[in-house]
Amino acid sequence: MTPETPISVPSHVLAETLNDETVLLDMSNGMYFGLTPVASRFWKLLAAGTARDEINSILLSEFEIEPEVLKADLDALLAELEAKKLIDRTTV
Amino acid sequence: MPPLREMRVLLLCISPSRDTGEINAEALSAADWSQLCDLSAWHGIFPLLASRLLATSSQQPAIQLPEVITAGLKTHQGIRLRGSLRLTASLVELMLEFERSGIRVLPWKGLSLGMLLYGSTALRESGDLDFLFQKKDLPAVLRITHDLGYELAGHHTSRSAYLYTLGLQGEFPFLRDQDKAALEFHLQILPARFSRWQNTPADIERASTVCKLAGHEFLMQRPEDMLLSLCAHATKHNWERLKWSCDIAQFLKTYGETMDWKPFLACLRRERKDAVVLLGLSLGAKLFNATLSPIAQEELRQSPGIASLSEAVAAHILSGSADTIEAWHEEAMVALLCPSVWDRFVFKARPIFDLNGDDFYIPAENRMLFFMNYLFRAARLLKKYGLRRLLGKTAVAVRSAR
């Protein structure tokens, strides 16, 4: 999957954020999923429709993290979110 | 009683008119954390306090919360987020079904108000979902709630009799066993004994505020009706919890500048409901430094009774006392909600005349003979109290109304 692959949040997923904590609820099975502060910020930007490249730049400017580490972490997060059906990725 | 230090800190932390930058280390260092948390929980503003404190401590390095407090606040925040998501899911599920059935039901108070006023469903304490609806839609509400797994809450032996008595009060509670989700459907913003406050169908018809939740848009009361209903609800509960005056301050911050206060207050005055709103505005200004419109300030200047009641209620809240307010405050609140002798008579007498579960000898479906239940009720009360005591109770109601 490339950074250009469009990502969307399915309608059965609810999210709520307070400060740097986000919790997702999958309404189809009642399961909750908590996000770390970096993932929480990523989710907010994603939900706002920000492009993946731009998200990367914003996160790098806001958190002390190496670009390679961030990329690896985000790839792992997206894979997990997709596996749990908390996001949709459409391959064009 | 002098203001309690923790109440001052609480106000500093949650006030909508201040930003988190004004919360300073000095004020927090003197606070008794346990008392601060207990007070905020009692006043229904713990989610707001937790969120503000966590935001402040992450933005201002000078503010160091005790580790145990930070951990407790974070735990609470996580629980709160999950709880509000669960309620949001239930709300969305219900509202979409109401829309599909073509009936207009409005979310009222609760997390939808949190979204409108605080910008998050999780920041306003709420344990259930409240709705406003019209009587003609009761069958649809009963069907939809049943289809989604809810049942009427409360003990009853006859469903039809129970529905009739709930209809008299205008409030229908539901509970879903699987997730303990609780709903309350209201025909009116206040129970039937508050006779002046029985025109909620008009609120529903003219609802125009759009609340966005989970990607859907739902209608809520227009701001004027929302403010009136918030003030009436809080007055019914004597404004004892800070949560209600905080709502008013937050409301003023959100809608205060865009509302046309002159016609609104004039209309309230004609309907003799202005005192209830003025009390709310006064408390919002006194406790949270909310900005009032010049016309509202002028009306308050001309209402010394409201100002002194507001002073007394604010002093009671700031004292940190969890005792109930003094009897005269309570009587004053009833007088605000029931400004005429007739209002007060209905308020006192209605509980005597309304049927309850013990009075249903004729089933609610038997429209021809149903009126006889009222005769049976009179006979039952006569048997229970005797003629003299029953007349005495009625006389007390009439006297106190006067």
Side-chain angles (χ1 to χ4, degrees):
Chain A
M1 228 130 356
T2 66
E4 292 77 34
T5 309
I7 300 169
S8 60
V9 180
S11 59
H12 64 266
V13 177
L14 292 184
E16 185 64 80
T17 301
L18 281 180
N19 297 315
D20 58 3
E21 184 175 1
T22 295
V23 175
L24 310 180
L25 169 64
D26 183 343
M27 289 197 285
S28 64
N29 58 18
M31 296 298 286
Y32 295 99
F33 190 80
L35 299 180
T36 62
V38 181
S40 175
R41 182 73 177 120
F42 173 74
W43 182 271
K44 274 176 100 171
L45 293 165
L46 184 71
T50 315
R52 173 76 192 271
D53 285 346
E54 199 182 336
I55 292 178
N56 281 13
S57 318
I58 294 172
L59 293 179
L60 285 171
S61 68
E62 291 180 0
F63 296 90
E64 283 179 24
I65 189 166
E66 293 299 318
E68 301 76 34
V69 176
L70 178 68
K71 185 181 178 311
D73 284 356
L74 290 185
D75 284 345
L77 173 68
L78 286 172
E80 192 175 2
L81 291 173
E82 193 175 18
K84 291 183 186 297
K85 296 186 169 46
L86 296 169
I87 55 166
D88 280 335
R89 288 211 273 192
T90 320
T91 310
V92 182
Chain B
M1 268 194 281
L4 191 71
R5 186 177 52 208
E6 281 66 28
M7 286 304 296
R8 285 186 188 281
V9 174
L10 196 50
L11 289 177
L12 176 73
C13 291
I14 65 165
S15 178
S17 62
R18 301 170 195 271
D19 67 27
T20 50
E22 290 181 55
I23 303 173
N24 54 64
E26 194 187 337
L28 291 180
S29 66
D32 175 337
W33 289 101
S34 162
Q35 193 173 23
L36 188 65
C37 292
D38 287 350
L39 282 168
S40 67
W42 192 85
H43 280 285
I45 46 177
F46 195 48
L48 197 53
L49 176 76
S51 174
R52 284 293 194 97
L53 284 176
L54 288 172
T56 307
S57 64
S58 70
Q59 288 159 9
Q60 297 184 51
I63 291 182
Q64 294 288 320
L65 303 180
E67 259 177 48
V68 64
I69 295 296
T70 305
L73 295 177
K74 282 193 171 163
T75 302
H76 171 84
Q77 185 171 269
I79 293 169
R80 184 73 208 139
L81 282 168
R82 284 164 177 75
S84 88
L85 279 172
R86 181 179 57 77
L87 277 177
T88 304
S90 303
L91 178 75
V92 170
E93 181 184 44
L94 281 157
M95 290 303 293
L96 292 179
E97 283 304 317
F98 295 143
E99 264 180 31
R100 270 184 216 116
S101 299
I103 63 170
R104 184 176 267 206
V105 177
L106 308 185
W108 185 45
K109 303 183 292 177
L111 55 88
S112 42
L113 186 69
M115 192 67 190
L116 274 186
L117 300 188
Y118 298 85
S120 165
T121 56
L123 284 179
R124 189 177 186 275
E125 185 81 66
S126 53
D128 62 0
L129 297 172
D130 289 283
F131 298 92
L132 298 174
F133 78 112
Q134 291 174 293
K135 199 162 191 174
K136 66 180 172 61
D137 295 325
L138 179 60
V141 166
L142 290 172
R143 177 179 49 79
I144 290 167
T145 48
H146 178 75
D147 289 350
L148 293 175
Y150 296 92
E151 293 300 336
L152 279 170
H155 176 72
H156 56 277
T157 47
S158 155
R159 182 177 161 87
S160 60
Y162 188 52
L163 277 173
Y164 186 86
T165 52
L166 292 175
L168 289 175
Q169 296 310 311
E171 294 175 345
F172 298 81
F174 294 86
L175 189 67
R176 184 161 63 184
D177 252 354
Q178 67 187 65
D179 58 358
K180 303 292 172 213
L183 318 174
E184 190 144 21
F185 285 80
H186 305 260
L187 289 172
Q188 306 289 348
I189 57 167
L190 290 185
R193 66 191 300 205
F194 295 96
S195 59
R196 189 165 293 269
W197 302 84
Q198 305 300 308
N199 50 0
T200 305
D203 288 20
I204 298 172
E205 290 296 335
R206 63 188 173 216
S208 59
T209 307
V210 176
C211 177
K212 289 182 187 171
L213 273 180
H216 301 278
E217 292 188 346
F218 304 118
L219 279 181
M220 291 181 70
Q221 290 164 297
R222 61 184 192 141
E224 292 85 348
D225 295 330
M226 199 182 296
L227 175 62
L228 182 60
S229 68
L230 289 176
C231 290
H233 177 77
T235 305
K236 188 186 82 168
H237 293 292
N238 306 321
W239 291 93
E240 282 187 320
R241 311 277 159 130
L242 211 44
K243 167 186 177 174
W244 297 315
S245 36
C246 187
D247 281 346
I248 302 303
Q250 202 73 44
F251 177 93
L252 290 169
K253 188 179 176 187
T254 311
Y255 295 106
E257 284 181 18
T258 52
M259 263 177 61
D260 196 350
W261 287 93
K262 195 171 180 181
F264 172 58
L265 290 173
C267 176
L268 290 183
R269 204 165 36 248
R270 278 195 302 279
E271 294 177 3
R272 300 186 70 182
K273 292 174 176 171
D274 52 329
V276 168
V277 170
L278 287 176
L279 177 60
L281 296 180
S282 175
L283 284 168
K286 208 175 285 295
L287 293 167
F288 294 100
N289 297 320
T291 308
L292 302 185
S293 72
I295 189 146
Q297 290 178 30
E298 182 54 34
E299 295 250 353
L300 272 172
R301 263 194 294 276
Q302 291 172 12
S303 314
I306 297 294
S308 78
L309 181 60
S310 160
E311 198 72 52
V313 173
H316 177 79
I317 290 173
L318 287 171
S319 73
S321 165
D323 296 340
T324 51
I325 62 169
E326 289 178 36
W328 79 266
H329 293 172
E330 211 166 332
E331 284 164 17
M333 301 290 178
V334 171
L336 296 187
L337 291 169
C338 306
S340 74
V341 171
W342 174 251
D343 293 334
R344 287 194 287 277
F345 174 73
V346 173
F347 177 78
K348 294 282 184 182
R350 201 160 166 148
I352 301 174
F353 295 114
D354 275 350
L355 297 181
N356 69 31
D358 297 331
D359 304 314
F360 283 83
Y361 295 95
I362 308 288
E365 296 84 358
N366 190 338
R367 295 188 177 187
M368 286 284 285
L369 298 178
F370 186 77
F371 73 94
M372 289 181 68
N373 284 325
Y374 285 92
L375 303 178
F376 291 135
R377 175 170 175 81
R380 190 173 66 78
L381 291 180
L382 270 173
K383 191 176 166 198
K384 186 174 175 185
Y385 296 111
L387 182 61
R388 185 173 291 184
R389 273 185 70 197
L390 193 57
L391 287 176
K393 276 174 171 284
T394 312
V396 166
V398 172
R399 257 203 313 276
S400 59
R402 244 191 289 130

